[in-house]
Amino acid sequence: MPLPSCSTDVSSRSHGWIRQTAARLTGLLLTCSLALAGCTSLPRTPYTAAEASTSRVLDIDGLRRYADEPVTKFSFDKDTSTAPKTYLALSGGGADGAYGVGVLNGWTAARTRPTFSVVSGVSTGGLIAPFAFLGSQYDDTLREVYTSGIAESLLNDPSIMRVLFGSGLFGNTRLRELVARYVGPEIMAQVARENAKGRKLLVVTTDLDTQRTAIWDMGRIAAVGTPEALKLFRDVMAASASIPLVFPPIMIDAEGQGRKFQEMHVDGGVTAPVLTLPEALLFHGSRLPGNAKMDIYILVNKKIERNFELVSNGTIDVASRSLSAITQSQTRSIIFSTFDFAKRNRLGFHLSYIARDYPAPPSEGFDTAYMRALYQYGYDKAASGQAWSSTVP
């Protein structure tokens, strides 16, 4: 053109953890102030904006695009078939990714789930995306990741020391290990085969150095077929779900103007909570090139309707609630823009999200009981044909 993952919606998913972290941080600041002066993150190789603008990975062009590029940078095949293409966009949402997994599995049970032409994933959606792309044969895998309790281990030890001293000294490898456990050469080979048929799998990260939304063509990466490509495939998935301060950033090797350096990538939801179409199409009045026809399915792993909550008059509570409002507003903006674009181009529009009155999680992090209940909620909606709406809230 976005597993268990982390969401950009820190308030609703990790509010309690942030509050606890703040309290512990206050107590540690005094004793660690001297140590802070001598402890820093590991140094990085400097590079320039000019080098960044020409950078590429694996010494191959076209493995990624940026959401703010001109529409001419994106290829749109003309649809000569009678059936429209199908595009599934999976949002961020942390533990609420269990909702999206439930919808996908319930959709399979209803026997109405299409084979998607394009799948995009952001944050938790970036972890779900490869398996949703490959189809219902991986329904059990997704259910295991989001309901077995394995996700809960990701935040058992959030490591206040990492927040204090920087991820260069205190890196958490659990997210990488989770991705590596489920994504191996076989998955990559299957993605490559589907890519050869013209289907597209896209995963979003945020490049912190350039502050741009990077859109990775996972099918093209998979088609390279080397161990380095598998590492990049996994790194992109992990980076898409790496919330700043909760998980360390992912450093991706790149080269520009003959110099080698590392780019810093984090949660795609920092800049794009859900990815539908390039910004040039959504926000500048453009039309879809050619005769392309498409059914767009936006699966939002969170609530998008505004809700009331009495906010405590404390710095952390105000900041986290503000971030939640920003993320929700950004998500709604993308949804409304996509809806308007679909109407202009006579495309199919389908939206699914967690209802405003669904109970909030009882605790911070990835609560297994909550995720299992949310999975079942999504499953039941999809299995009964109630998951999708053709309008916006």
Side-chain angles (χ1 to χ4, degrees):
M1 290 266 100
L3 317 135
S5 138
C6 298
S7 157
T8 57
D9 190 349
V10 178
S11 173
S12 56
R13 305 305 154 247
S14 303
H15 188 189
W17 177 81
I18 291 175
R19 188 165 53 247
Q20 292 171 13
T21 296
R24 295 166 66 192
L25 176 59
T26 301
L28 285 171
L29 277 177
L30 208 51
T31 57
C32 294
S33 57
L34 293 177
L36 277 171
C39 294
T40 60
S41 298
L42 295 177
R44 299 182 60 197
T45 300
Y47 68 104
T48 66
E51 290 165 343
S53 67
T54 61
S55 69
R56 61 181 187 172
V57 293
L58 299 183
D59 201 26
I60 298 173
D61 290 323
L63 296 186
R64 63 179 174 196
R65 296 292 184 194
Y66 293 94
D68 58 358
E69 289 188 284
V71 71
T72 52
K73 293 285 188 178
F74 297 86
S75 61
F76 295 87
D77 298 327
K78 292 186 177 181
D79 185 7
T80 58
S81 65
T82 56
K85 295 181 182 295
T86 52
Y87 180 11
L88 175 66
L90 296 156
S91 84
D96 283 354
Y99 172 74
V101 171
V103 168
L104 288 169
N105 286 19
W107 208 354
T108 298
R111 299 185 178 182
T112 55
R113 176 175 164 181
T115 298
F116 302 106
S117 309
V118 182
V119 175
S120 73
V122 179
S123 195
T124 197
L127 291 174
I128 297 170
F131 305 103
F133 177 76
L134 293 176
S136 58
Q137 61 179 310
Y138 287 101
D139 282 1
D140 289 343
T141 299
L142 285 175
R143 184 172 64 250
E144 177 181 327
V145 171
Y146 281 84
T147 66
S148 69
I150 188 173
E152 201 160 12
S153 68
L154 288 177
L155 292 182
N156 275 354
D157 178 16
S159 183
I160 185 64
M161 299 304 289
R162 184 171 64 257
V163 178
L164 277 173
F165 294 106
S167 60
L169 295 179
F170 297 90
N172 186 341
T173 61
R174 291 180 180 177
L175 184 56
R176 282 178 177 270
E177 291 171 350
L178 178 72
V179 172
R181 174 175 176 176
Y182 290 98
V183 178
E186 182 180 351
I187 291 288
M188 196 169 75
Q190 291 180 35
V191 170
R193 285 195 292 270
E194 295 306 309
N195 179 73
K197 299 175 185 178
R199 299 177 64 214
K200 287 293 180 184
L201 171 61
L202 310 170
V203 171
V204 177
T205 66
T206 296
D207 183 338
L208 279 188
D209 294 325
T210 63
Q211 297 184 319
R212 301 176 78 188
T213 303
I215 305 167
W216 297 84
D217 190 332
M218 305 298 277
R220 292 196 65 181
I221 295 172
V224 176
T226 62
E228 293 77 15
L230 175 58
K231 180 180 182 301
L232 177 62
F233 195 101
R234 289 169 168 170
D235 282 350
V236 169
M237 289 181 63
S240 183
S242 293
I243 297 180
L245 296 184
V246 178
F247 295 104
I250 300 295
M251 310 305 293
I252 294 180
D253 294 329
E255 182 176 353
Q257 298 185 351
R259 293 190 66 247
K260 294 183 178 180
F261 45 84
Q262 288 188 316
E263 301 171 345
M264 180 180 286
H265 289 259
V266 298
D267 191 333
V270 170
T271 52
V274 64
L275 179 76
T276 54
L277 293 166
E279 293 176 10
L281 287 177
L282 290 184
F283 301 112
H284 299 290
S286 302
R287 297 183 65 86
L288 199 65
N291 298 318
K293 298 183 184 301
M294 187 183 299
D295 265 322
I296 301 175
Y297 293 87
I298 307 176
L299 182 46
V300 182
N301 295 300
K302 61 179 69 177
K303 300 175 182 180
I304 61 175
E305 296 172 294
R306 297 181 180 90
N307 66 304
F308 175 81
E309 176 184 323
L310 186 64
V311 181
S312 173
N313 190 15
T315 302
I316 295 298
D317 297 282
V318 170
S320 59
R321 179 66 170 176
S322 299
L323 179 59
S324 175
I326 291 170
T327 302
Q328 187 182 69
S329 177
Q330 190 178 12
T331 302
R332 290 169 64 89
S333 175
I334 293 172
I335 290 171
F336 291 143
S337 297
T338 305
F339 177 71
D340 183 61
F341 177 86
K343 284 184 15 180
R344 292 199 312 269
N345 287 273
R346 298 182 179 179
L347 306 179
F349 177 88
H350 312 273
L351 175 66
S352 185
Y353 56 94
I354 301 171
R356 177 169 48 193
D357 58 357
Y358 189 83
S363 62
E364 71 279 0
F366 299 94
D367 183 87
T368 301
Y370 169 78
M371 294 173 72
R372 287 173 178 168
L374 187 58
Y375 166 88
Q376 194 62 47
Y377 166 71
Y379 182 96
D380 292 342
K381 284 180 66 174
S384 62
Q386 303 298 313
W388 298 99
S389 171
S390 59
T391 60
V392 294

